[in-house]
Amino acid sequence: MRTPSVASDEKQARSPVSDVQALIRRAAVLWAHTRDATSCEGRTEFERLALLFERMAMRMVRRDLKRSTLGDLLYADKARDRTPEARWVALVRGVAERDQNAFQTLYLWTHRLIITLIMGITDDWFATEELAVDVFEDLWRGAATFDPLGDTVVGWIMNQARLRALGGARGDDPRKSDSPTATQVFEMMVDGATDSLPFSASLWSRITERITAVPNEAPLLKATVTEHEAGWEQPAPGIYCKILATEIQRGRVSMLVRLAPGIEYPPHIHAGVETLHLLQGELWIDGRKLHRGDYNHGEPGCTDKHVWSETGCTCILVTSARDIIG
């Protein structure tokens, strides 16, 4: 006779939630294989199988669990235009080919996020300026190494900025007493208007000087391209987002997310890899408390049961629109 504990374990193993998690993990393995495929035919087959397992998981979510997905909340307004991930990828490929307009656009779409993240980690404005120049030089030199199967453009750039910041603390600087605080920088970069950023022009000048110091590099033009125009949306009470890029094929979404003080983000199962960079405030993810500048990584199939902010917070979130809510 089976003991109650064994019977309970078997029942849990056969639960719809665990079945969905198993399908999601299988799809994640297949997506990983697409990066290692040595032929177009192999890559296409792995993608087909990955999408098949994802569709099976989503059918089970709606039929057995009667739950919705993150995409159901984010894309409820069908009339709103979304910037596709393919446009971001095209910019990176343009940079790899030394397209100056592409580099200017990538700069204007990301410099606010890069500066805010670095400042949140270093709490040193003068180090932040120098490190931001380093990041854009890295992008100019290393754009050809970007793998769109491995990450989104926003996720890739933010990770580079984070690594630069972690390795670039300058220590005590006598100028720090006269520099803006991380809170001031956050308010200027994320919430402020373009004309409130007097250092933007000088930052671009420093980037161009750094890059064009190399022989045979043509001088870069003045940055005049329009900034990214995504606006804030409210998919749920107290939860705001600014969607930067969407990718239909793999369901990935890159966005800024803001929680009002005391608000909980709904419990969810990750349908893909999730990366989070906290720009402002404090955030609890289950038993872990994140502070400004902290990073969190979630694997496909894992569950975040209790996500909330007492202070309110803002983060850069790259995740799957197929995350299971509730």
Side-chain angles (χ1 to χ4, degrees), residues 48 185 270:
R48 185 187 70 81
V185 168
H270 298 154

Side-chain angles (χ1 to χ4, degrees), residues 132-150:
V133 175
D134 292 341
V135 171
F136 281 103
E137 182 181 11
D138 293 342
L139 295 179
W140 180 255
R141 309 277 180 233
T145 66
F146 172 66
D147 177 10
L149 294 177

Side-chain angles (χ1 to χ4, degrees), residues 127-278:
T128 294
E129 287 185 301
E130 188 66 25
L131 291 166
V133 175
D134 292 341
V135 171
F136 281 103
E137 182 181 11
D138 293 342
L139 295 179
W140 180 255
R141 309 277 180 233
T145 66
F146 172 66
D147 177 10
L149 294 177
D151 204 349
T152 68
V153 174
V154 171
W156 177 65
I157 292 176
M158 291 302 106
N159 193 51
Q160 291 188 67
R162 172 176 169 267
L163 293 175
R164 274 289 185 180
L166 292 174
R170 309 298 191 196
D172 292 333
D173 188 322
R175 300 175 296 175
K176 288 182 71 172
S177 60
D178 299 323
S179 71
T181 66
T183 300
Q184 289 173 319
V185 168
F186 170 81
E187 291 173 350
M188 289 189 293
M189 299 308 287
V190 177
D191 293 327
T194 302
D195 57 11
S196 70
L197 308 176
F199 43 79
S200 290
S202 62
L203 180 63
W204 176 251
S205 296
R206 293 182 62 190
I207 292 168
T208 59
E209 289 172 3
R210 175 80 68 81
I211 290 171
T212 56
V214 177
N216 301 321
E217 292 281 13
L220 297 182
L221 305 173
K222 181 180 179 181
T224 57
V225 185
T226 303
E227 296 199 40
H228 198 278
E229 297 179 348
W232 288 101
E233 306 173 42
Q234 187 177 8
I239 301 176
Y240 307 85
C241 67
K242 182 182 290 189
I243 298 176
L244 304 175
T246 60
E247 183 184 8
I248 301 301
Q249 175 76 350
R250 300 188 63 173
R252 297 186 296 191
V253 57
S254 303
M255 57 185 171
L256 279 165
V257 176
R258 173 172 290 167
L259 300 184
I263 291 296
E264 295 188 13
Y265 190 88
H268 56 281
I269 300 172
H270 298 154
V273 171
E274 177 183 283
T275 60
L276 182 152
H277 301 270
L278 192 61

Side-chain angles (χ1 to χ4, degrees), residues 58-126:
M58 292 305 103
R59 281 199 297 268
M60 191 172 294
V61 165
R62 291 184 166 89
R63 182 192 64 203
D64 298 337
L65 299 180
K66 296 180 174 57
R67 296 186 189 178
S68 59
T69 67
L70 178 61
D72 295 332
L73 298 178
L74 293 179
Y75 306 137
D77 184 356
K78 304 297 184 182
R80 184 182 288 269
D81 290 333
R82 312 288 182 185
T83 301
E85 177 68 18
R87 189 174 176 191
W88 287 83
V89 173
L91 289 178
V92 175
R93 288 175 175 163
V95 174
E97 297 172 358
R98 294 298 180 259
D99 181 335
Q100 294 188 18
N101 287 326
F103 188 54
Q104 292 170 38
T105 302
L106 200 61
Y107 163 78
L108 286 170
W109 283 14
T110 61
H111 74 282
R112 290 171 178 258
L113 301 178
I114 288 170
I115 289 172
T116 307
L117 178 62
I118 295 175
M119 184 66 179
I121 294 172
T122 66
D123 201 26
D124 181 339
W125 172 247
F126 298 101

